[in-house]
């Protein structure tokens, strides 16, 4: 039988790199869509670069998507590309709307025109629940986004549902709660903390500057979550699924645990600065993934404590390697 082909937008990102790995392991031919940049940013995929086909495109450019679909004829498309940082969406709201919202329509419309049998996954977000109207949040919880990013993701979710209902596309929206890893971008709070802890432990920094310590998130481990994306596209019918651990922890708890893991007390190092506060905050997220458990057989495998320890250990090892490498001095 011919190999199944999967196309991943955002393959250079955290989730894209893990998804590419698991799809390769499942025997897929993987086509990674990348946007051009003046410097190479393949850190997360360098170990699998020779096993995947990299194709240039941009979410802002409709014909680049049409071209990629025509040329590579995927069976499944995973749309993970986005302007994904909430804080930046407040200073770049229009760009965020163009990529994170309208980018989804560009891909859906390209699929409709080129090959409507392609199965489509949209990377929706718990940020859509924003100022939550019920706890825990499920697929039926109304949205109340609190950032231009959240608003854009609500658009992306509904246009996915709309193309499913209007044109019969196999278009699925995965509403994923926060998921982290050693490949998380340094600007997100978990990685900022674990990298900061490692720097302090190694004597490279004396403080860690954060914003709101009381915000609560449902944090899972990214490799567990990309498996759910694949499971969603193997279902006979497209649908919406919440993916979450069902536990919520504050930024303060994350910091406390991360510092404690290297024998330090976070209160001696964490400094708060209004620069890292948001014009509107999402105070509490906690998801109920019962539907995914029942229909997909999916459950998280990594605990909050394991996640924190794994990220701190990875950052310590990374910095030690960099300190030993003269190119980083
Ligand atoms: P990420 O690490 O920030 O990766 C984002 C990817 O999007 C990168 O590959 C980036 O390319 C690409 N991209 C950005 N703008 C683009 C454009 N105009 N054209 C083409 N590509 C573009 O994000 P992530 O954490 O892996 O998240 C993956 C997806 O899931 C995102 O849509 C995010 O919003 C969503 N999501 C994430 C979480 C989470 O907790 N991680 C939770 C819910 C939903 P460059 O490498 O060139 O910048
Ligand atoms: N980034 C950041 N930096 N956040 C901080 C800081 C800081 O110094 N201090 C406190 N926080 C708080 C934020 O105010 C927010 O309440 C929380 O930490 C988490 O922030 P992020 O890690 O930036 O993630 P996010 O929850 O806003 O967004 C992430 O999760 C969404 C799913 O709910 C991103 O991955 C989104 O792309 C994703 O959709």
């Amino acid at each position: 039988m011919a190999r199944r082909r999967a196309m991943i937008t955002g393959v250079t990102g955290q989730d894209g790199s893990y998804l590419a790995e698991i799809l390769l392991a499942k025997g897929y031919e993987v086509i990674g869509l990348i946007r051009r940049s003046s410097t190479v940013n393949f850190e997360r995929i360098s170990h699998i670069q020779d096993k995947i086909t990299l194709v240039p495109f941009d979410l802002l450019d409709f014909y680049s998507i049409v071209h990629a679909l025509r040329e590579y004829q995927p069976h499944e498309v995973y749309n993970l590309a986005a302007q994904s940082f909430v804080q930046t969406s407040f200073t770049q709201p229009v760009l965020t709307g163009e990529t994170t919202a309208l980018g989804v329509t560009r891909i859906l419309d390209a699929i409709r025109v080129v090959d409507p049998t392609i199965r489509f996954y949209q990377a929706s977000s718990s940020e859509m629940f924003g100022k939550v109207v019920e706890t825990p949040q499920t697929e039926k919880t109304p949205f109340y986004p609190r950032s231009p990013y959240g608003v854009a993701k609500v658009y992306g979710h509904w246009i996915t549902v709309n193309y499913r209902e209007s044109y019969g596309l196999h278009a699925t929206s995965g509403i994923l709660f926060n998921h982290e890893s050693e490949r998380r971008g340094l600007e997100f709070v978990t990685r900022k903390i674990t990298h900061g802890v490692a720097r302090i432990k190694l004597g490279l920094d004396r403080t860690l500057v954060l914003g709101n310590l009381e915000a609560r998130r449902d944090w899972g481990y990214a490799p567990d979550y990309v498996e759910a994306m694949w499971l969603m596209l193997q279902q006979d019918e497209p649908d919406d699924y919440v993916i979450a651990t069902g536990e919520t922890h504050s930024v303060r708890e994350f910091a406390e645990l991360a510092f404690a893991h290297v024998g330090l007390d976070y209160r001696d190092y964490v400094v708060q600065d209004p620069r890292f506060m948001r014009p509107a905050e999402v105070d509490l997220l906690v998801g109920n993934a019962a539907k995914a458990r029942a229909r997909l057989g999916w459950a998280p495998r990594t605990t909050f404590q394991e996640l924190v320890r794994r990220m701190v250990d990875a950052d310590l090892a990374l910095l030690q390697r960099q300190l030993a490498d003269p190119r980083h001095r």
Side-chain angles (χ1 to χ4, degrees):
M1 207 172 78
R3 278 175 93 190
R4 284 187 72 75
R5 273 184 304 283
M7 187 170 270
I8 304 173
T9 75
V11 73
T12 52
Q14 171 188 258
D15 290 5
S17 66
Y18 286 120
L19 180 64
E21 274 174 22
I22 69 151
L23 292 179
L24 286 171
K26 290 179 193 299
Y28 278 74
E29 186 181 334
V30 175
I31 295 114
L33 299 194
I34 50 165
R35 58 174 171 170
R36 189 205 163 263
S37 68
S38 63
T39 49
V40 174
N41 63 345
F42 293 169
E43 293 87 9
R44 295 182 176 110
I45 52 168
S46 53
H47 59 298
I48 49 171
Q49 207 179 317
D50 57 344
K51 300 193 182 75
I52 60 185
T53 306
L54 294 176
V55 178
F57 95 119
D58 200 299
L59 272 182
L60 303 177
D61 186 335
F62 178 68
Y63 283 102
S64 68
I65 303 166
V66 170
H67 176 76
L69 292 177
R70 283 208 178 120
E71 183 83 11
Y72 294 94
Q73 301 177 11
H75 302 97
E76 298 170 11
V77 170
Y78 296 84
N79 180 35
L80 309 187
Q83 191 305 93
S84 73
F85 189 39
V86 171
Q87 189 104 21
T88 293
S89 78
F90 286 104
T91 53
Q92 300 182 11
V94 176
L95 177 80
T96 301
E98 284 287 353
T99 53
T100 306
L102 279 178
V104 187
T105 307
R106 292 190 187 95
I107 300 186
L108 284 165
D109 216 42
I111 288 175
R112 181 180 70 80
V113 170
V114 174
D115 177 3
T117 69
I118 293 170
R119 294 187 174 197
F120 175 76
Y121 173 84
Q122 166 57 14
S124 292
S125 166
S126 52
E127 184 72 13
M128 302 190 300
F129 298 120
K131 191 172 164 140
V132 297
V133 301
E134 68 175 0
T135 294
Q137 296 86 51
T138 72
E139 294 80 5
K140 294 196 177 346
T141 303
F143 302 135
Y144 189 152
R146 294 272 279 172
S147 62
Y149 169 82
V151 173
K153 282 289 181 187
V154 170
Y155 175 94
H157 169 81
W158 280 117
I159 200 69
T160 301
V161 174
N162 182 259
Y163 269 60
R164 180 199 301 163
E165 293 177 354
S166 303
Y167 307 113
L169 295 193
H170 193 295
T172 282
S173 176
I175 306 174
L176 273 53
F177 282 62
N178 297 51
H179 45 280
E180 318 295 312
S181 73
E182 43 275 55
R183 295 187 199 165
R184 188 57 142 152
L186 284 167
E187 69 274 40
F188 297 93
V189 77
T190 54
R191 184 77 198 288
K192 184 174 171 184
I193 292 171
T194 61
H195 195 254
V197 164
R199 285 185 63 83
I200 289 169
K201 182 67 182 173
L202 296 175
L204 299 170
D205 273 337
R206 300 177 68 158
T207 56
L208 174 61
V209 185
L210 295 174
N212 177 13
L213 300 182
E214 311 315 329
R216 301 182 73 84
R217 290 291 182 276
D218 180 330
W219 278 298
Y221 187 45
D224 296 350
Y225 283 42
V226 297
E227 186 73 29
M229 298 175 186
W230 175 77
L231 284 168
M232 287 179 216
L233 290 205
Q234 309 319 304
Q235 304 308 302
D236 290 339
E237 298 299 328
D239 208 335
D240 310 322
Y241 295 94
V242 158
I243 299 296
T245 70
E247 267 185 43
T248 187
H249 298 274
S250 65
V251 173
R252 184 185 297 280
E253 281 174 74
F254 193 106
E256 186 174 7
L257 209 58
F259 276 95
H261 184 54
V262 297
L264 300 175
D265 185 332
Y266 80 102
R267 290 170 296 189
D268 297 333
Y269 303 96
V270 170
V271 179
Q272 279 187 283
D273 187 326
R275 270 192 310 133
F276 295 105
M277 308 278 188
R278 295 173 181 179
E281 177 62 289
V282 171
D283 296 318
L284 163 80
L285 291 175
V286 57
N288 176 350
K291 180 175 168 183
R293 194 180 286 267
R295 302 247 188 104
L296 309 176
W298 180 87
R301 289 189 296 258
T302 312
T303 66
F304 177 68
Q305 290 74 14
E306 281 164 1
L307 171 71
V308 176
R309 285 197 297 268
R310 194 190 286 255
M311 288 179 68
V312 172
D313 288 343
D315 274 320
L316 276 171
L318 173 75
L319 286 171
Q320 278 160 344
R321 276 198 307 278
Q322 289 178 351
L323 286 172
D325 181 344
R327 284 171 303 176
H328 285 280
R329 285 195 198 127

